[in-house]
Amino acid sequence: MDITYPAEAEAYRGTIRALLESKLPQGWRGIGALSEAEQEEFLASWRKVLSDNDLLAVSWPQEYGGAGLSSIEQVVLNEELMRLGVPDGTENDTLGIKLLGNTMTVLGTEEQKQYFLPRVLSGEHIWCQGYSEPEAGSDLAGMRTRAVREGDEWVINGQKTWTSQGHRANWIFVIARTDPAVAKHKGLSFLLVPMDQPGVEVRPIVNAAGYVAFSEVFFTDARTPASYVLGGVNGGWNTANTLLGFERGVRATTDAVRFGREVERLIELARERGLTSDPRIRAELAWCWSRVQTMRFRGYRALTKLLNGGSYGVDGSFSKVIWSEFFQRLTEVGMQILGLEVLTPTGGGNDGMLVTPNPGADNSSRCWTDIALYARAATIYGGSSQIQRNIIGEQLLGLPKEPRLDGGPFQDIGRRKSA
């Protein structure tokens, strides 16, 4: 297996590394080393650095504000940003640029590209994602948010939940049911909806660690123009999966870098407390390190497939199970090392990060307690481990599918289940 990058990609890496290091402050240790106020200030200035150097949307076509480069340059840039402990924009940029923007370059109409993409890059449009609902999480196609065409507009009613950074956004891409008379996967549309209107209410949710990172979003006769459908009317399932493919591709090689950094922090935590000679702790640390190497080589495999024109497919379910269950076990080891310290944690927290702390954050009991609390949800959000294993069994191993009661027209599902 050849895990080396092409020569042109490594040349680009050298250029990017020199540029990024020249723009960072002296003694840079990572954004997590800054206070909350300093982080907000840095993010604003750093986003401008990325924008001025065509690094916000490396793989977008130049006519829409991108750098016109390939996916391999995007991956190299992501790796170097991760290595230096600097963000690739705000969290909303991940949703607006990497997910929605990349999807729009493939599926959007020319009118949509010309209007939305420049506003995504400028920061005028700040995006969040309207997928999950109280009754449609892992079974995403079961969503009940409705959109009805009235003249030149869609009228939307329903609720979304676990909307990451929804309290900071002014636009949301929403999967809504536009045809209840067909099977549940077929009657969905991907709508682009302004949030600054009376029909949209955002209610922030405080997570177990005490941070606001996601929200509930309620739609009551909210409206958006009829032309703001990405991927065509009733084409929402394909659009949603195209977007998820971009999400998984972007993370193909950086998960190993990010979680590898956390294993190093865990080893240091054990060393500080004199536990590196404890055979039980040593075995757990070895397991964590070996699982990161699994992520690394799986990432190279996925990247190779994507660069050769393939799709991520079932590999996405494998990766989700691997990293989410690893993340929980990693934090459990941290709790074992800390012992009774977890009852009265001290030091800096994880600044509300949803997975691993920002590079440079305190290697403190408070930080490890924060991420341990959030890790409890890792095997649920983004598709539960049970759902992922069903996908692997049915689509890869060819095992029989479970009996289902949700075939046929969506509008009849409830009646069949209660019969």
Side-chain angles (χ1 to χ4, degrees), residues 197-259:
Q197 59 171 300
V200 179
E201 179 187 359
V202 180
R203 299 180 190 173
I205 299 172
V206 179
N207 65 22
Y211 300 103
V212 173
F214 32 63
S215 305
E216 295 177 286
V217 183
F218 295 85
F219 303 95
T220 307
D221 292 333
R223 294 176 178 269
T224 198
S227 61
Y228 287 7
V229 180
L230 183 60
V233 176
N234 295 333
W237 189 248
N238 175 63
T239 306
N241 281 286
T242 300
L243 183 143
L244 291 173
F246 280 113
E247 178 182 25
R248 293 160 181 163
V250 164
R251 292 178 52 177
T253 63
T254 55
D255 273 351
V257 177
R258 176 174 59 175
F259 286 120

Side-chain angles (χ1 to χ4, degrees), residues 352-367:
M353 292 298 292
L354 298 186
V355 186
T356 58
N358 278 317
D362 281 356
N363 198 17
S364 64
S365 56
R366 170 70 187 281
C367 190

Side-chain angles (χ1 to χ4, degrees), residues 286-298:
W287 182 90
C288 291
W289 182 89
S290 63
R291 189 52 59 98
V292 168
Q293 304 314 307
T294 300
M295 292 184 203
R296 177 188 173 208
F297 289 107
R298 281 189 55 79

Side-chain angles (χ1 to χ4, degrees), residues 103-117:
T103 304
M104 189 173 288
T105 62
V106 175
L107 299 178
T109 65
E110 188 60 30
E111 181 182 8
Q112 289 171 344
K113 295 174 187 177
Q114 293 290 348
Y115 177 76
F116 284 105
L117 294 181

Side-chain angles (χ1 to χ4, degrees), residues 203-417:
R203 299 180 190 173
I205 299 172
V206 179
N207 65 22
Y211 300 103
V212 173
F214 32 63
S215 305
E216 295 177 286
V217 183
F218 295 85
F219 303 95
T220 307
D221 292 333
R223 294 176 178 269
T224 198
S227 61
Y228 287 7
V229 180
L230 183 60
V233 176
N234 295 333
W237 189 248
N238 175 63
T239 306
N241 281 286
T242 300
L243 183 143
L244 291 173
F246 280 113
E247 178 182 25
R248 293 160 181 163
V250 164
R251 292 178 52 177
T253 63
T254 55
D255 273 351
V257 177
R258 176 174 59 175
F259 286 120
R261 182 183 288 124
E262 287 308 290
V263 172
E264 292 174 3
R265 280 165 37 90
L266 189 64
I267 293 170
E268 182 59 30
L269 192 72
R271 185 177 292 115
E272 290 172 357
R273 285 153 179 78
L275 294 174
T276 51
S277 59
D278 183 302
R280 183 171 57 87
I281 296 298
R282 287 175 66 87
E284 291 288 354
L285 294 175
W287 182 90
C288 291
W289 182 89
S290 63
R291 189 52 59 98
V292 168
Q293 304 314 307
T294 300
M295 292 184 203
R296 177 188 173 208
F297 289 107
R298 281 189 55 79
Y300 289 144
R301 182 175 182 268
L303 177 60
T304 301
K305 182 182 292 186
L306 291 169
L307 292 175
N308 288 330
S311 62
Y312 209 47
V314 182
D315 278 347
S317 293
F318 270 113
S319 295
K320 175 58 169 59
V321 171
I322 289 170
W323 78 254
S324 61
E325 296 185 357
F326 158 85
F327 184 38
Q328 288 185 347
R329 187 162 172 179
L330 174 85
T331 58
E332 288 167 2
V333 178
M335 298 300 96
Q336 294 170 26
I337 292 171
L338 290 169
L340 292 177
E341 285 185 62
V342 303
L343 300 178
T344 55
T346 59
N350 79 330
D351 300 318
M353 292 298 292
L354 298 186
V355 186
T356 58
N358 278 317
D362 281 356
N363 198 17
S364 64
S365 56
R366 170 70 187 281
C367 190
W368 278 101
T369 303
D370 281 357
I371 62 174
L373 288 171
Y374 193 77
R376 297 308 90 202
T379 52
I380 300 173
Y381 62 69
S384 70
S385 290
Q386 291 84 353
I387 292 290
Q388 303 306 327
R389 285 186 165 90
N390 277 354
I391 293 171
I392 294 167
E394 293 173 4
Q395 297 187 20
L396 182 68
L397 302 180
L399 299 178
K401 293 187 176 182
E402 294 182 349
R404 302 182 70 99
L405 297 175
D406 57 358
F410 179 79
Q411 61 193 7
D412 296 337
I413 291 175
R415 290 194 289 270
R416 287 196 299 275
K417 286 183 176 180

